[in-house]
Amino acid sequence: MNVSASADNNPQGDDVPARMRSLLPPDLAARRRDTGAQGRFGVIVRIIRMSFDSPWSATIAIVGTILAASFQLMIPILLGQAVDETQSVLAGGNVDAARAALTATALTLLAVAALRGVFTTFQNYFAESVGHQLGYRLRLAYYDKIQKLDFSFHDRIHSGDLITLGMLDLEGVRMFFSAGLIRVVLLSMLLGIGGYLLFSTDPVLALVSLSFVPFVAWRSSVTQLRLRLTWLQLQERLSTLSRIMEENLAGIRVVRSFAAQAYELAKFKDASASALTMTRDRVSLRVRNTSAMTFSFFVAMGLVLWLGSIKVNTGEMSVGTLTSFLTFMTILQMPVRQLGMMVNAIARASICGARLFDVLDLEIPIVDDPAAPDLVLSDRCLRFEDVHFTYPGTDRPVLQCISFEARRGETIGIVGPPGSGKSTIAHLIPRFYDVTAGRITLDGQDIRDVRLASLRKAVAVVQQNVFLFTTTIENNIAYGAPWAREDQIARASGFAQLHNYVLDLPAGYDTVVGERGASLSGGQRQRVSIARTFMMDPAVMVFDDSTAAVDARTEQRIREAMRDNAEERVTIVIAHRLTSLSHADRILFLDEGRIIEDGSPAELLARGGRYAEIHNLQQLGSGVSLEGAEP
């Protein structure tokens, strides 16, 4: 989608340059499948079955609908009787008997109307209850699935799209029972039983009374197809809108720093206008078709009135019978008006359900074997054995022939230019991804053969890009060990060189860090993340360039704390600044997914290879890091 700013939406009156348009959010990486008629029917059947997971509420709603429709169908018959009895009174017959009969009919009509209202209340209440219970279960299932899907899924799908799916699409499925299925039952009762009563009374007049139904069915079918298409388009435009808003809020400091508010407003306004245009098209489509269906109803009513009056004049039909026909048509008027909404609810549920079930039905690639045991730690020896890895959906190998061993008490440094596979190694150890070939073992146990929970309790990764929750510093540090004592939190904070800083804050450890830790500096956020990892006391601790934002003096103190606590664990440090690896027992230099140099820092310097070259450049104070070095 291209965005251009005009004088109306850009205070500066400048056009948005082409290079900025290229920064617009891309389309969904995984497109939702467009199911055929059979697929849509299967989705609807699945939603109905899930609705009956609340059997009592669903049954009461349907029974209430049937009883409400039955009592509603009695109203035209009772009104017809009342009219005929009134005529008898006016005709001068037995006035007292006619009045008594009319009174009895009126009381019966009142009772029937009251019962119809009671059962309609049951219908509405329990139908809504079924929808909300279904929505509750789907939200939990959807959230649980999102939690379990591997990183490769989240690499491809934007979080804004997932939020839209879990809100708007789920709402479309939730409303199906009350807005779709219950209305189908109601309309089927009114047309089925009512049609039988009409045809048994006067087939010709009944045919005229129901003449609008084929037209409504035809228009409903056309409307369903178009509403289905436009809803899918609207959902994608709303996903784009959510994505733009989320990225803008997450990057608000970048936006302000580059004075790009006008561009961001233009981008958001364009996406919002696109969604508004589609919404208007949908409303227009629905209103036009509803109006056409309602008009056909009134035409049919006019014909019934004309033909019925002729039959009344010729004595073929009583006024009460004609009244019953007209009343029945009036009762049908509201369901006919709602037919468009019913069709829309069914179409929306089939689309939203297909999109939602696409995610719920995804296979989780990284799962526990049912018989998998817990990881048993002994020597705490980590081994990579001829590991190869390629990211799902790509063809380029990221790691090739990676083999090394790290024992308890050892600190292994990993360096290399960007894209060499350093962070990938960090993500493979806790099994965020599974290796393509080879294997990774911890104390001789293949990490794919043990329970994930036990593995991730034993392996902790401190990443460069830190995420903090909008809560207190204490809660962020204790995230992996929520029942930890205050002294344990303070000890871990001390290892991360954070404790003294926290004590100087007015609220201390109860200080709320703000959204994603916005109130802290980059280095402070990294230190919170390091403290959070120390709290877990893992067997393998991986630092993925996790001190890049920390000043040199603080980093040195953190290295000393790491060294003091390295005796009982394997420590792996990924860094671009070689000073961060001065305490490492061994260095692995990666390039294009392969280990090209392996040895202690002194050995690698003596060889005069790539590591020595980068080391000398950094020692000379040129400011060159591995990001800027030529491979």
Side-chain angles (χ1 to χ4, degrees), residues 33 35-50 173 176 224 228 346 349-355 357 361:
R33 66 175 183 263
T35 57
Q38 184 177 0
R40 294 196 299 271
F41 178 75
V43 169
I44 294 298
V45 170
R46 182 172 177 180
I47 296 173
I48 293 174
R49 288 177 177 172
M50 295 180 69
V173 174
F176 168 75
Q224 179 184 12
R228 172 179 165 78
I346 296 172
S350 67
I351 298 166
C352 295
R355 289 158 55 99
F357 296 149
D361 294 341

Side-chain angles (χ1 to χ4, degrees), residues 578 605 608-622:
L578 299 189
L605 286 174
R610 294 283 302 281
Y611 177 86
E613 178 185 353
I614 301 301
H615 179 273
N616 293 335
L617 287 172
Q618 292 187 1
Q619 287 294 103
L620 289 173
S622 62

Side-chain angles (χ1 to χ4, degrees), residues 234-312:
L234 178 60
Q235 287 292 79
E236 296 202 356
R237 295 185 187 189
L238 289 175
S239 294
T240 300
L241 193 64
S242 300
R243 195 162 57 233
I244 292 173
M245 177 177 289
E246 182 193 17
E247 289 184 346
N248 179 270
L249 294 176
I252 191 66
R253 286 170 173 76
V254 176
V255 174
R256 298 287 177 84
S257 298
F258 288 89
Q261 294 95 322
Y263 161 69
E264 290 294 332
L265 178 60
K267 184 170 65 174
F268 185 80
K269 182 177 181 180
D270 185 86
S272 182
S274 177
L276 178 61
T277 299
M278 183 54 64
T279 303
R280 286 173 175 168
D281 291 343
R282 285 177 49 78
V283 171
S284 176
L285 176 63
R286 188 164 57 245
V287 169
R288 287 199 311 270
N289 282 278
T290 302
S291 300
M293 291 186 287
T294 305
F295 178 74
S296 69
F297 163 77
F298 283 115
V299 170
M301 177 173 277
L303 291 175
V304 168
L305 187 60
W306 173 72
L307 184 59
S309 63
I310 295 176
K311 288 180 175 289
V312 169

Side-chain angles (χ1 to χ4, degrees), residues 21-61:
R21 296 192 190 108
S22 65
L23 298 177
L24 291 177
D27 291 338
L28 292 176
R31 309 296 296 180
R32 279 83 174 185
R33 66 175 183 263
D34 186 13
T35 57
Q38 184 177 0
R40 294 196 299 271
F41 178 75
V43 169
I44 294 298
V45 170
R46 182 172 177 180
I47 296 173
I48 293 174
R49 288 177 177 172
M50 295 180 69
S51 298
F52 277 90
D53 286 341
S54 304
W56 285 107
S57 296
T59 301
I60 292 173

Side-chain angles (χ1 to χ4, degrees), residues 176-457:
F176 168 75
F177 188 84
S178 60
L181 182 61
I182 290 298
R183 285 176 179 166
V184 169
V185 174
L186 177 62
L187 194 58
S188 299
M189 286 284 297
L190 294 178
L191 285 177
I193 299 177
Y196 169 77
L197 294 174
L198 293 181
F199 274 99
S200 62
T201 302
D202 189 314
V204 175
L205 201 61
L207 196 61
V208 176
S209 299
L210 300 176
S211 60
F212 67 96
V213 174
F215 175 79
V216 169
W218 170 66
R219 291 306 306 172
S220 297
S221 299
V222 174
T223 304
Q224 179 184 12
L225 293 175
R226 297 191 63 184
L227 284 175
R228 172 179 165 78
L229 176 62
T230 56
W231 178 252
L232 185 62
Q233 294 172 344
L234 178 60
Q235 287 292 79
E236 296 202 356
R237 295 185 187 189
L238 289 175
S239 294
T240 300
L241 193 64
S242 300
R243 195 162 57 233
I244 292 173
M245 177 177 289
E246 182 193 17
E247 289 184 346
N248 179 270
L249 294 176
I252 191 66
R253 286 170 173 76
V254 176
V255 174
R256 298 287 177 84
S257 298
F258 288 89
Q261 294 95 322
Y263 161 69
E264 290 294 332
L265 178 60
K267 184 170 65 174
F268 185 80
K269 182 177 181 180
D270 185 86
S272 182
S274 177
L276 178 61
T277 299
M278 183 54 64
T279 303
R280 286 173 175 168
D281 291 343
R282 285 177 49 78
V283 171
S284 176
L285 176 63
R286 188 164 57 245
V287 169
R288 287 199 311 270
N289 282 278
T290 302
S291 300
M293 291 186 287
T294 305
F295 178 74
S296 69
F297 163 77
F298 283 115
V299 170
M301 177 173 277
L303 291 175
V304 168
L305 187 60
W306 173 72
L307 184 59
S309 63
I310 295 176
K311 288 180 175 289
V312 169
N313 289 332
T314 59
E316 299 178 42
M317 178 181 289
S318 69
V319 176
T321 302
L322 178 59
T323 302
S324 297
F325 271 85
L326 293 174
T327 305
F328 174 74
M329 293 190 68
T330 303
I331 289 174
L332 274 184
Q333 180 181 4
M334 184 55 67
V336 167
R337 287 178 178 272
Q338 293 180 347
L339 191 57
M341 298 173 62
M342 181 185 73
V343 171
N344 181 50
I346 296 172
R348 181 182 179 187
S350 67
I351 298 166
C352 295
R355 289 158 55 99
L356 187 63
F357 296 149
D358 274 349
V359 174
L360 292 179
D361 294 341
L362 284 174
E363 292 186 7
I364 301 174
I366 299 179
V367 294
D368 287 330
D369 186 289
D374 284 335
L375 177 68
V376 178
L377 296 174
S378 54
D379 295 332
R380 303 195 176 192
C381 177
L382 175 71
R383 289 177 59 91
F384 273 61
E385 301 176 4
D386 196 27
V387 168
H388 294 68
F389 179 74
T390 301
Y391 281 103
T394 65
D395 297 326
R396 187 179 69 86
V398 178
L399 295 177
Q400 303 178 67
C401 306
I402 300 295
S403 297
F404 67 89
E405 179 180 285
R407 294 186 172 276
R408 175 171 23 198
E410 279 190 312
T411 297
I412 306 296
I414 301 179
V415 297
S420 58
K422 303 184 300 298
S423 293
T424 301
I425 289 179
H427 292 158
L428 289 178
I429 299 173
R431 205 182 165 202
F432 294 153
Y433 302 91
D434 272 337
V435 299
T436 306
R439 69 176 192 153
I440 302 173
T441 65
L442 189 53
D443 285 341
Q445 303 158 86
D446 193 319
I447 62 173
R448 292 170 294 186
D449 297 334
V450 298
R451 291 183 63 245
L452 273 174
S454 63
L455 172 66
R456 291 177 181 172
K457 184 178 180 180

Side-chain angles (χ1 to χ4, degrees), residues 543-594:
F543 294 86
D544 186 3
D545 207 14
S546 54
T547 58
V550 177
D551 64 274
R553 185 176 178 182
T554 302
E555 183 187 19
Q556 182 180 2
R557 291 199 294 265
I558 293 175
R559 287 202 306 271
E560 292 173 355
M562 290 167 56
R563 185 169 55 249
D564 294 339
N565 289 271
E567 294 182 359
E568 296 301 318
R569 63 173 57 94
V570 173
T571 305
I572 295 178
V573 181
I574 299 170
H576 289 102
R577 294 187 309 200
L578 299 189
T579 54
S580 302
L581 303 174
S582 59
H583 64 297
D585 300 299
R586 182 177 167 198
I587 302 290
L588 306 178
F589 197 108
L590 265 64
D591 192 12
E592 297 184 355
R594 296 177 181 272

